[in-house]
Short mmCIF file of all heavy atoms in Angstrom, two decimals:
data_model
loop_
_atom_site.label_atom_id
_atom_site.label_comp_id
_atom_site.label_asym_id
_atom_site.label_seq_id
_atom_site.Cartn_x
_atom_site.Cartn_y
_atom_site.Cartn_z
N CYS S 1 18.92 -20.73 0.29
CA CYS S 1 18.08 -19.66 0.85
C CYS S 1 17.87 -18.53 -0.16
O CYS S 1 16.80 -17.90 -0.17
CB CYS S 1 18.70 -19.11 2.15
SG CYS S 1 18.58 -20.27 3.52
N GLN S 2 18.84 -18.30 -1.01
CA GLN S 2 18.65 -17.32 -2.07
C GLN S 2 17.58 -17.79 -3.06
O GLN S 2 16.76 -16.99 -3.53
CB GLN S 2 19.98 -17.06 -2.79
CG GLN S 2 20.95 -16.25 -1.96
CD GLN S 2 22.34 -16.15 -2.60
OE1 GLN S 2 22.68 -16.93 -3.49
NE2 GLN S 2 23.16 -15.22 -2.14
N GLU S 3 17.59 -19.08 -3.39
CA GLU S 3 16.54 -19.63 -4.25
C GLU S 3 15.16 -19.48 -3.61
O GLU S 3 14.17 -19.16 -4.27
CB GLU S 3 16.82 -21.10 -4.56
CG GLU S 3 18.00 -21.32 -5.50
CD GLU S 3 17.80 -20.63 -6.84
OE1 GLU S 3 16.71 -20.80 -7.45
OE2 GLU S 3 18.72 -19.91 -7.28
N LEU S 4 15.11 -19.74 -2.29
CA LEU S 4 13.86 -19.56 -1.58
C LEU S 4 13.46 -18.09 -1.59
O LEU S 4 12.27 -17.74 -1.74
CB LEU S 4 13.99 -20.07 -0.15
CG LEU S 4 12.73 -20.06 0.72
CD1 LEU S 4 11.63 -20.90 0.09
CD2 LEU S 4 13.05 -20.55 2.11
N GLY S 5 14.44 -17.20 -1.44
CA GLY S 5 14.16 -15.77 -1.48
C GLY S 5 13.58 -15.32 -2.80
O GLY S 5 12.70 -14.44 -2.87
N LYS S 6 14.05 -15.92 -3.91
CA LYS S 6 13.52 -15.57 -5.22
C LYS S 6 12.05 -15.98 -5.32
O LYS S 6 11.21 -15.23 -5.91
CB LYS S 6 14.32 -16.27 -6.31
CG LYS S 6 15.75 -15.73 -6.45
CD LYS S 6 16.55 -16.54 -7.45
CE LYS S 6 18.00 -16.04 -7.52
NZ LYS S 6 18.83 -16.83 -8.47
N LYS S 7 11.70 -17.10 -4.74
CA LYS S 7 10.29 -17.52 -4.74
C LYS S 7 9.43 -16.56 -3.91
O LYS S 7 8.31 -16.22 -4.28
CB LYS S 7 10.17 -18.95 -4.20
CG LYS S 7 10.77 -20.01 -5.12
CD LYS S 7 10.53 -21.42 -4.57
CE LYS S 7 11.04 -22.47 -5.51
NZ LYS S 7 10.76 -23.85 -5.04
N LEU S 8 9.99 -16.15 -2.75
CA LEU S 8 9.26 -15.22 -1.89
C LEU S 8 9.06 -13.88 -2.59
O LEU S 8 8.00 -13.25 -2.46
CB LEU S 8 10.01 -15.03 -0.58
CG LEU S 8 10.03 -16.22 0.37
CD1 LEU S 8 10.95 -15.94 1.56
CD2 LEU S 8 8.63 -16.55 0.88
N LEU S 9 10.08 -13.41 -3.32
CA LEU S 9 9.95 -12.13 -4.02
C LEU S 9 8.84 -12.21 -5.07
O LEU S 9 8.04 -11.27 -5.20
CB LEU S 9 11.29 -11.76 -4.67
CG LEU S 9 11.27 -10.50 -5.53
CD1 LEU S 9 10.86 -9.29 -4.70
CD2 LEU S 9 12.64 -10.28 -6.18
N LYS S 10 8.77 -13.31 -5.78
CA LYS S 10 7.71 -13.46 -6.79
C LYS S 10 6.33 -13.43 -6.14
O LYS S 10 5.39 -12.81 -6.66
CB LYS S 10 7.90 -14.77 -7.54
CG LYS S 10 9.06 -14.73 -8.55
CD LYS S 10 9.13 -16.02 -9.35
CE LYS S 10 10.27 -15.96 -10.38
NZ LYS S 10 10.36 -17.23 -11.18
N LEU S 11 6.21 -14.11 -5.00
CA LEU S 11 4.93 -14.10 -4.29
C LEU S 11 4.59 -12.70 -3.78
O LEU S 11 3.45 -12.27 -3.84
CB LEU S 11 4.97 -15.09 -3.12
CG LEU S 11 5.02 -16.57 -3.49
CD1 LEU S 11 5.23 -17.43 -2.24
CD2 LEU S 11 3.74 -17.01 -4.19
N ALA S 12 5.64 -11.98 -3.32
CA ALA S 12 5.42 -10.63 -2.80
C ALA S 12 4.99 -9.69 -3.93
O ALA S 12 4.17 -8.77 -3.71
CB ALA S 12 6.71 -10.10 -2.15
N GLN S 13 5.48 -9.91 -5.12
CA GLN S 13 5.14 -9.05 -6.25
C GLN S 13 3.73 -9.31 -6.75
O GLN S 13 3.18 -8.51 -7.51
CB GLN S 13 6.17 -9.24 -7.38
CG GLN S 13 7.54 -8.69 -7.01
CD GLN S 13 8.61 -9.05 -8.04
OE1 GLN S 13 8.48 -10.06 -8.73
NE2 GLN S 13 9.67 -8.24 -8.12
N GLN S 14 3.13 -10.42 -6.33
CA GLN S 14 1.76 -10.74 -6.73
C GLN S 14 0.72 -10.10 -5.81
O GLN S 14 -0.47 -10.15 -6.07
CB GLN S 14 1.56 -12.26 -6.76
CG GLN S 14 2.40 -12.97 -7.81
CD GLN S 14 2.35 -14.48 -7.70
OE1 GLN S 14 1.55 -15.03 -6.94
NE2 GLN S 14 3.22 -15.16 -8.45
N LEU S 15 1.18 -9.52 -4.70
CA LEU S 15 0.26 -8.85 -3.78
C LEU S 15 -0.32 -7.61 -4.43
O LEU S 15 0.33 -6.95 -5.24
CB LEU S 15 0.99 -8.48 -2.49
CG LEU S 15 1.54 -9.63 -1.64
CD1 LEU S 15 2.33 -9.08 -0.45
CD2 LEU S 15 0.42 -10.54 -1.15
N ASP S 16 -1.55 -7.27 -4.05
CA ASP S 16 -2.15 -6.03 -4.55
C ASP S 16 -1.31 -4.84 -4.13
O ASP S 16 -0.88 -4.71 -2.97
CB ASP S 16 -3.57 -5.88 -4.00
CG ASP S 16 -4.50 -6.94 -4.55
OD1 ASP S 16 -4.19 -7.49 -5.63
OD2 ASP S 16 -5.51 -7.23 -3.90
N ASN S 17 -1.03 -3.95 -5.08
CA ASN S 17 -0.28 -2.73 -4.83
C ASN S 17 1.09 -3.01 -4.21
O ASN S 17 1.58 -2.27 -3.35
CB ASN S 17 -1.07 -1.79 -3.90
CG ASN S 17 -2.41 -1.39 -4.50
OD1 ASN S 17 -2.49 -1.07 -5.68
ND2 ASN S 17 -3.46 -1.46 -3.68
N SER S 18 1.70 -4.08 -4.63
CA SER S 18 3.01 -4.44 -4.08
C SER S 18 4.05 -3.37 -4.40
O SER S 18 4.21 -2.99 -5.58
CB SER S 18 3.49 -5.78 -4.66
OG SER S 18 4.83 -6.04 -4.28
N PRO S 19 4.78 -2.88 -3.39
CA PRO S 19 5.83 -1.88 -3.65
C PRO S 19 7.07 -2.47 -4.30
O PRO S 19 8.01 -1.74 -4.61
CB PRO S 19 6.14 -1.34 -2.24
CG PRO S 19 5.83 -2.49 -1.34
CD PRO S 19 4.65 -3.19 -1.97
N LEU S 20 7.08 -3.79 -4.46
CA LEU S 20 8.27 -4.46 -4.99
C LEU S 20 8.10 -4.89 -6.44
O LEU S 20 9.00 -5.53 -7.00
CB LEU S 20 8.58 -5.70 -4.13
CG LEU S 20 8.79 -5.45 -2.64
CD1 LEU S 20 9.04 -6.76 -1.91
CD2 LEU S 20 9.94 -4.49 -2.39
N LYS S 21 6.98 -4.52 -7.07
CA LYS S 21 6.75 -4.92 -8.45
C LYS S 21 7.84 -4.39 -9.37
O LYS S 21 8.27 -3.25 -9.25
CB LYS S 21 5.38 -4.44 -8.91
CG LYS S 21 4.21 -5.27 -8.35
CD LYS S 21 2.89 -4.83 -8.90
CE LYS S 21 1.76 -5.73 -8.37
NZ LYS S 21 0.44 -5.32 -8.88
N GLY S 22 8.26 -5.25 -10.28
CA GLY S 22 9.25 -4.86 -11.27
C GLY S 22 10.69 -4.95 -10.81
O GLY S 22 11.61 -4.71 -11.60
N LEU S 23 10.91 -5.28 -9.55
CA LEU S 23 12.27 -5.35 -9.03
C LEU S 23 12.86 -6.75 -9.24
O LEU S 23 12.19 -7.75 -9.06
CB LEU S 23 12.31 -5.00 -7.53
CG LEU S 23 11.90 -3.57 -7.16
CD1 LEU S 23 11.98 -3.38 -5.65
CD2 LEU S 23 12.78 -2.54 -7.86
N ALA S 24 14.13 -6.78 -9.61
CA ALA S 24 14.86 -8.04 -9.72
C ALA S 24 15.36 -8.47 -8.33
O ALA S 24 15.37 -7.68 -7.39
CB ALA S 24 16.04 -7.90 -10.69
N PHE S 25 15.78 -9.71 -8.25
CA PHE S 25 16.24 -10.22 -6.96
C PHE S 25 17.41 -9.41 -6.43
O PHE S 25 17.50 -9.15 -5.22
CB PHE S 25 16.64 -11.70 -7.10
CG PHE S 25 17.09 -12.34 -5.81
CD1 PHE S 25 16.20 -12.61 -4.80
CD2 PHE S 25 18.42 -12.68 -5.63
CE1 PHE S 25 16.61 -13.20 -3.60
CE2 PHE S 25 18.86 -13.26 -4.45
CZ PHE S 25 17.93 -13.53 -3.44
N ASP S 26 18.31 -8.98 -7.30
CA ASP S 26 19.47 -8.19 -6.86
C ASP S 26 19.08 -6.79 -6.43
O ASP S 26 19.92 -6.08 -5.85
CB ASP S 26 20.51 -8.12 -7.98
CG ASP S 26 21.18 -9.45 -8.26
OD1 ASP S 26 21.15 -10.31 -7.35
OD2 ASP S 26 21.72 -9.63 -9.35
N ASP S 27 17.85 -6.38 -6.67
CA ASP S 27 17.39 -5.04 -6.31
C ASP S 27 16.78 -5.01 -4.92
O ASP S 27 16.38 -3.92 -4.46
CB ASP S 27 16.36 -4.52 -7.32
CG ASP S 27 16.94 -4.36 -8.71
OD1 ASP S 27 18.15 -4.08 -8.80
OD2 ASP S 27 16.18 -4.55 -9.70
N VAL S 28 16.70 -6.16 -4.25
CA VAL S 28 16.07 -6.19 -2.93
C VAL S 28 17.00 -6.80 -1.90
O VAL S 28 18.01 -7.43 -2.24
CB VAL S 28 14.75 -6.98 -2.96
CG1 VAL S 28 13.77 -6.37 -3.94
CG2 VAL S 28 15.00 -8.45 -3.28
N GLN S 29 16.67 -6.60 -0.65
CA GLN S 29 17.39 -7.20 0.47
C GLN S 29 16.40 -7.81 1.42
O GLN S 29 15.23 -7.39 1.51
CB GLN S 29 18.25 -6.16 1.19
CG GLN S 29 17.47 -5.03 1.76
CD GLN S 29 18.34 -4.03 2.50
OE1 GLN S 29 18.51 -4.14 3.72
NE2 GLN S 29 18.89 -3.07 1.79
N PHE S 30 16.85 -8.84 2.13
CA PHE S 30 16.03 -9.51 3.13
C PHE S 30 16.59 -9.15 4.50
O PHE S 30 17.76 -9.47 4.80
CB PHE S 30 16.05 -11.02 2.92
CG PHE S 30 15.36 -11.47 1.67
CD1 PHE S 30 15.93 -11.28 0.41
CD2 PHE S 30 14.09 -12.06 1.73
CE1 PHE S 30 15.28 -11.68 -0.75
CE2 PHE S 30 13.44 -12.47 0.58
CZ PHE S 30 14.03 -12.27 -0.67
N ALA S 31 15.80 -8.47 5.31
CA ALA S 31 16.28 -8.04 6.62
C ALA S 31 15.11 -7.80 7.55
O ALA S 31 14.04 -7.33 7.13
CB ALA S 31 17.12 -6.76 6.49
N ASP S 32 15.33 -8.13 8.81
CA ASP S 32 14.33 -7.88 9.85
C ASP S 32 12.94 -8.41 9.49
O ASP S 32 11.93 -7.77 9.76
CB ASP S 32 14.26 -6.38 10.15
CG ASP S 32 15.58 -5.83 10.65
OD1 ASP S 32 16.19 -6.49 11.51
OD2 ASP S 32 16.04 -4.78 10.15
N GLY S 33 12.93 -9.58 8.85
CA GLY S 33 11.66 -10.22 8.52
C GLY S 33 10.94 -9.59 7.34
O GLY S 33 9.76 -9.87 7.12
N HIS S 34 11.61 -8.74 6.57
CA HIS S 34 10.99 -8.05 5.45
C HIS S 34 11.82 -8.24 4.18
O HIS S 34 13.02 -8.50 4.23
CB HIS S 34 10.87 -6.54 5.71
CG HIS S 34 9.84 -6.20 6.73
ND1 HIS S 34 9.97 -6.48 8.08
CD2 HIS S 34 8.61 -5.58 6.60
CE1 HIS S 34 8.89 -6.05 8.74
NE2 HIS S 34 8.06 -5.51 7.85
#
């Protein structure tokens, strides 16, 4: 699930004006569907 999370983070960082750009996997958390 962590590997899947890394893929999701990359996809999230490709969104326009993504607030997660530049963040590493250890810099984020997965909670409440976000």
Side-chain angles (χ1 to χ4, degrees):
C1 288
Q2 287 172 344
E3 288 301 311
L4 184 59
K6 292 175 182 178
K7 292 184 176 182
L8 290 172
L9 176 60
K10 287 184 178 180
L11 291 173
Q13 291 172 334
Q14 294 172 11
L15 297 175
D16 293 338
N17 301 315
S18 171
L20 303 178
K21 284 184 177 179
L23 296 180
F25 181 70
D26 290 339
D27 296 329
V28 301
Q29 60 178 267
F30 291 75
D32 299 315
H34 288 71

